[in-house]
């Protein structure tokens, strides 16, 4: 005779549920560990695995120590393959059930495989601790198969390892339904093989997007005028697929509020896709400085969107301060364009402006070091804190040794 509660359930679900309920009777939910077992688990996680008390308490909810034999064997394997103590602690904290996995059948073959393809010591520990599921996925059916599939697509083990560094999920997911269709889309639209390898090795997560969305993005970028043969095309794919629709619309609204038309915004994106990744706050600060302080039109920045990705405090303001000083001395002219100051390499800027004019116009050095606030000041009012250019260059050279 069934208990009253069970009879009630059987009346409610008379047919399909009965076998399930009977199986439940034969396989009751396991009881939680007693206090002594829980205490022993926490103690082991702290003393043997290096977890903090809070991390051990959290991990003990998912792993119950019955015997130290298996966990000890797992830890010995990890240490033997060069895992550091912090890496082991991180691994166990993320996935404590790894201590219950079979050392010889489950853990060891995978560690040996990764060591064989070039992962050793701390590098192997970094890979596994960042993605513990690599030790639990099927070696032959998933990991090995995906590795050699990637090698076929990319051409070398080094390229595969670079891609895995960007997303270890490449070894765990079904690439036939996710990545391979997207790679074929790139080929169909004329993206060169080298650019495809660049995308896979630098931005592998993008290729894990749903094929329909990936294809739509590639077509849209071509409609914007981006040529698939250019590096910017690959960068634009990464940016566009990395942004949600809401974020994209918000960026358009930010630029619109700063005086850009939608045409100018899309033009800026095609010229330097990463302008859509700058924070809203940074975009506003850079635009305010260049438009208000440097007296440039918003369209000036739209035509040179890379300016939005430069550090305002470390590059833009100091260089504009140097420009202002040299302009006031008649050394440079706005006809050359402020952007020529901002976009050249650090080495060229140092040689052409700081070293060249530093002795003659000492304020240039202070402006370059960021010691002078840019406010359109005349150079004649800036001579109170100059230092020797030769002394500064000597200090700079010494600090770079």
């Amino acid at each position: 005779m069934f208990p009253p509660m069970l009879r009630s359930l059987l009346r409610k679900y008379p047919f399909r549920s009965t076998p399930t309920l009977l199986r439940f009777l034969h396989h009751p939910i396991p009881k939680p560990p007693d206090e002594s077992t829980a205490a022993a688990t926490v103690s082991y996680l702290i003393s043997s695995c290096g977890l903090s008390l809070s991390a051990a308490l959290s991990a003990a909810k998912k792993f119950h120590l019955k015997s130290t034999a298996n966990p000890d064997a797992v830890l010995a394997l990890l240490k033997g393959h060069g895992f550091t103590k912090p890496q082991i602690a991180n691994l166990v904290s993320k996935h404590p059930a790894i201590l219950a996995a079979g050392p010889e059948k489950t853990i060891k073959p995978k560690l040996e495989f990764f060591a064989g393809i070039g992962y050793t010591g701390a590098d192997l520990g970094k890979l596994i601790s960042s993605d513990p599921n690599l030790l639990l996925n099927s070696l032959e059916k998933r990991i090995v198969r995906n590795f050699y599939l990637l090698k076929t697509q990319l051409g070398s083990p080094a390229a595969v390892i670079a891609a895995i560094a960007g997303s270890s999920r490449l070894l765990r997911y079904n690439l036939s339904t996710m990545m391979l269709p997207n790679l074929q889309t790139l080929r169909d639209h004329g993206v060169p093989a080298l650019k495809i390898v660049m995308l896979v090795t630098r931005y592998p997560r993008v290729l894990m997007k749903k094929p329909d969305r990936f294809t739509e993005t590639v077509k849209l970028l071509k409609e914007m005028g981006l040529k698939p043969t250019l590096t910017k095309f690959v960068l634009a794919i990464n940016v566009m697929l990395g942004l949600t629709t809401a974020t994209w619309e918000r960026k358009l609204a930010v630029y619109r509020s700063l005086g850009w038309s939608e045409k100018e915004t899309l033009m800026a994106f095609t010229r330097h896709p990463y302008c859509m990744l700058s924070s809203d706050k940074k975009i506003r600060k850079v635009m305010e400085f260049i438009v208000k302080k440097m007296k440039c039109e918003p369209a000036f920045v739209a035509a040179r969107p890379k300016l939005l990705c430069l550090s305002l405090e470390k590059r833009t303001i100091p260089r504009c301060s140097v420009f202002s000083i040299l302009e006031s001395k008649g050394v440079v002219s706005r006809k050359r364009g402020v952007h020529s100051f901002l976009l050249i390499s650090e080495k060229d800027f140092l040689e052409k402006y700081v070293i060249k004019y530093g002795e003659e116009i000492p304020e240039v050095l202070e402006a370059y070091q960021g010691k002078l606030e840019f406010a359109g000041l005349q150079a004649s009012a800036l001579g109170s804190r100059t230092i020797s250019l030769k002394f500064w260059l000597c200090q700079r050279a010494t600090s770079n040794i």
Side-chain angles (χ1 to χ4, degrees):
M1 194 69 177
F2 294 121
M5 183 179 293
L6 185 54
R7 285 202 304 273
S8 175
L9 288 172
L10 289 172
R11 283 195 297 270
K12 189 174 182 181
Y13 305 104
F15 298 109
R16 288 180 299 173
S17 297
T18 302
T20 301
L21 289 168
L22 291 175
R23 285 197 299 271
F24 172 77
L25 291 176
H26 290 291
H27 301 282
I29 298 174
K31 296 180 179 180
D34 56 36
E35 291 185 7
S36 60
T37 301
T41 301
V42 171
S43 177
Y44 183 85
L45 292 171
I46 293 173
S47 61
S48 298
C49 304
L51 273 65
S52 66
L53 176 59
S54 60
L57 289 171
S58 177
K61 297 176 182 178
K62 305 173 185 176
F63 168 73
H64 306 147
L65 183 68
K66 297 179 180 179
S67 167
T68 63
N70 197 86
D72 284 347
V74 171
L75 294 177
L77 272 174
L78 298 177
K79 293 174 183 177
H81 279 80
F83 282 57
T84 65
K85 291 181 179 180
Q87 288 171 343
I88 291 175
N90 186 34
L91 171 61
V92 175
S93 179
K94 286 182 178 179
H95 210 307
I98 205 75
L99 296 173
E104 294 297 321
K105 291 185 177 181
T106 301
I107 306 297
K108 186 177 180 180
K110 297 182 179 71
L111 294 178
E112 290 179 344
F113 171 76
F114 286 118
I117 63 174
Y119 284 96
T120 56
D123 289 336
L124 176 57
K126 181 179 179 181
L127 173 70
I128 301 300
S129 63
S130 66
D131 190 355
N133 285 310
L134 288 172
L135 291 181
L136 301 177
N137 275 205
S138 170
L139 179 60
E140 296 298 330
K141 293 181 180 179
R142 184 67 76 199
I143 295 174
V144 173
R145 181 180 295 180
N146 281 12
F147 177 83
Y148 286 105
L149 188 154
L150 288 168
K151 183 182 176 182
T152 300
Q153 297 292 322
L154 302 180
S156 70
V160 177
I161 289 175
I164 295 170
S167 178
S168 57
R169 291 182 298 174
L170 289 173
L171 292 175
R172 297 194 288 107
Y173 284 20
N174 187 346
L175 301 185
S176 298
T177 60
M178 300 185 71
M179 187 187 77
L180 294 188
N182 294 336
L183 292 180
Q184 189 58 48
T185 294
L186 294 174
R187 296 188 187 97
D188 292 343
H189 286 272
V191 179
L194 288 177
K195 304 299 181 187
I196 293 176
V197 171
M198 175 185 172
L199 183 62
V200 180
T201 53
R202 293 190 185 180
Y203 315 111
R205 295 188 181 188
V206 169
L207 288 155
M208 309 300 281
K209 301 293 183 181
K210 292 182 178 180
D212 289 347
R213 185 186 173 197
F214 190 92
T215 301
E216 290 175 2
T217 299
V218 171
K219 290 180 178 179
L220 180 59
L221 292 175
K222 290 182 71 174
E223 291 173 3
M224 289 182 182
L226 272 171
K227 296 180 179 180
T229 55
L230 300 177
T231 298
K232 285 188 289 187
F233 193 85
V234 170
L235 300 180
I237 290 175
N238 177 52
V239 172
M240 186 163 279
L241 285 173
L243 296 175
T244 64
T245 301
T247 301
W248 179 268
E249 293 295 334
R250 193 183 75 244
K251 295 295 181 183
L252 293 178
V254 170
Y255 285 120
R256 189 164 52 246
S257 71
L258 296 171
W260 291 17
S261 66
E262 184 169 331
K263 182 179 179 180
E264 286 175 322
T265 304
L266 294 180
M267 175 192 70
F269 171 69
T270 59
R271 290 186 175 183
H272 191 68
Y274 283 177
C275 71
M276 299 299 281
L277 296 183
S278 291
S279 69
D280 298 358
K281 181 179 179 181
K282 181 176 181 179
I283 292 170
R284 294 185 186 280
K285 286 180 67 177
V286 172
M287 286 293 291
E288 180 181 16
F289 179 83
I290 294 179
V291 172
K292 292 185 178 180
K293 295 289 182 111
M294 297 304 296
K295 309 300 181 185
C296 298
E297 295 296 324
F300 172 86
V301 186
R304 302 162 184 84
K306 190 175 180 180
L307 297 176
L308 293 163
C309 299
L310 303 176
S311 171
L312 186 63
E313 290 76 16
K314 294 181 180 180
R315 182 162 178 157
T316 301
I317 294 177
R319 289 195 183 190
C320 285
S321 296
V322 171
F323 180 90
S324 178
I325 292 168
L326 294 179
E327 183 185 38
S328 70
K329 295 290 186 179
V331 175
V332 298
S333 169
R334 278 182 179 264
K335 292 181 180 180
R336 293 191 61 183
V338 176
H339 65 283
S340 65
F341 265 64
L342 297 175
L343 297 179
I344 63 173
S345 70
E346 188 71 11
K347 179 177 180 293
D348 288 343
F349 183 83
L350 187 63
E351 291 177 352
K352 290 183 178 181
Y353 302 109
V354 180
I355 295 176
K356 184 175 181 179
Y357 298 108
E359 290 287 0
E360 179 185 349
I361 309 173
E363 300 88 9
V364 165
L365 181 54
E366 288 202 36
Y368 179 72
Q369 292 178 305
K371 294 181 178 180
L372 299 178
E373 180 180 354
F374 179 82
L377 300 176
Q378 293 298 314
S380 60
L382 301 175
S384 60
R385 296 179 298 178
T386 59
I387 63 174
S388 165
L389 177 62
K390 292 181 180 179
F391 176 73
W392 175 75
L393 288 173
C394 182
Q395 281 188 319
R396 189 173 188 272
T398 301
S399 65
N400 289 334
I401 294 177

